[in-house]
Structure formats: C-alpha cells, structure tokens
Amino acid sequence: MATLTALKFPTAEGADYMLSTLQDLQKQQLITIEDGAVVSWSIGAKKPKTRQLANLTGAGALNGAFWGMLFGLLFFVPFFGLAVGAPVGALMGHFAHYGIDDAFINQVRSKITPGTSALFLLETGAVVDKVAEAVKDQQFEIIQTNLSKENEDKLRADFAEE
C-alpha cells in the first residue's frame, strides 16, 4: 500500500533539505519514493513555487497532471473564490475517489503558508525506525493520507506516466 504524505517545514528551504536526506535513505533501500513534489513559498511571494521530482520517479510515477490538479486545488483555487465553486467541488470529489479527502486538502491548505515549504511523497516500504532516526533533527510536521490498495490502483491507472 502506498502512502501519500505531505511533510510541512517552517522554512521555505526545509523541504529541499529533507529531500536530500530521503534520497540518501532511498540509496540505502530504506524507503521507496515512487513520486513526489516540492512546494516552497518564500516570504513576500504571492503564491508558492511547485516542482515535480522527476529524478525520483519510478515505474509507478504519477504524471504532472496529478500534481498540477492537486496543487491547483490546494494553492491557486482559493484565490479565485466562489466563481469556481462548482468545478472545485467536482475536483475535490474526484480526489476523494482516490482516498485524498477534504480533511487532507483543507489541512494542507491551511498549513502551507508564506515562509514555509512542503514535500509531497508517494512512497512505499519505509523502514520506519531507520527513517525516523535519520530525520529526527529536522523540524517538520507530518500530514498523511494512507491510500488503500484499491485507491492506489485507481490513482495509478488514471495518472501513471506512460
């Protein structure tokens, strides 16, 4: 079963620092990162910068459409207000079909603010005690959604790279 995890950091650079740590752990086969993306929101910026982690993507990687839709829903739609209410409801319902519910969306949206960053990971097979030990000195908050095998399969069928 894959886990979609969002790690929130108190600085705009924190996600990149964690990413470096996780890349080292992946080389040691202590975690399998199938896909991911980084969001960094500098103080004073009107919106966050986002990027997919193309160098980490494996056979089960999701395409850019998934990350674009997710980040659009999280960070850009709130600025448009009620004018896009119905389409936003439909999009949130679409993500709920994959096990990414309103609570996850709203929690991430409220916590990723100017001056912070986040690392979004689709991962499997973490050796939890080893990963925890390697990241214990880094400041972050975990926001997590476990995907059922059925939801994971649906997500991959709809968004997997070809």
Side-chain angles (χ1 to χ4, degrees):
M1 178 168 73
T3 302
L4 176 63
T5 306
L7 303 173
K8 185 251 183 183
F9 301 87
T11 66
E13 301 79 26
D16 285 317
Y17 185 70
M18 176 66 80
L19 177 60
S20 176
T21 301
L22 294 177
Q23 287 173 318
D24 289 342
L25 293 172
Q26 182 161 269
K27 289 174 187 170
Q28 298 171 47
Q29 299 179 345
L30 297 173
I31 190 169
T32 302
I33 301 171
E34 297 187 18
D35 205 349
V38 170
V39 174
S40 60
W41 199 338
S42 299
I43 293 176
K46 293 182 182 182
K47 61 185 180 181
K49 291 183 180 179
T50 63
R51 75 177 192 278
Q52 185 175 1
L53 304 177
N55 61 331
L56 289 179
T57 57
L62 304 175
N63 65 29
F66 169 78
W67 296 108
M69 285 176 29
L70 180 62
F71 292 147
L73 181 62
L74 288 171
F75 303 112
F76 304 111
V77 168
F79 297 117
F80 296 120
L82 295 177
V84 294
V88 169
L91 188 56
M92 286 181 85
H94 186 71
F95 277 106
H97 286 44
Y98 304 113
I100 303 168
D101 61 13
D102 292 352
F104 178 82
I105 298 289
N106 291 330
Q107 190 175 23
V108 171
R109 184 183 289 155
S110 70
K111 293 181 182 218
I112 311 303
T113 57
T116 67
S117 60
L119 178 59
F120 290 79
L121 299 171
L122 184 65
E123 56 86 15
T124 57
V127 179
V128 177
D129 59 333
K130 300 285 186 183
V131 173
E133 178 66 25
V135 302
K136 71 179 181 186
D137 294 330
Q138 298 183 42
Q139 281 191 306
F140 63 95
E141 179 181 346
I142 299 173
I143 305 166
Q144 180 173 313
T145 295
N146 287 326
L147 303 177
S148 68
K149 180 66 174 142
E150 179 183 332
N151 286 338
E152 179 186 349
D153 291 345
K154 272 194 273 186
L155 187 64
R156 289 186 197 288
D158 291 350
F159 290 103
E161 290 284 1
E162 305 264 336

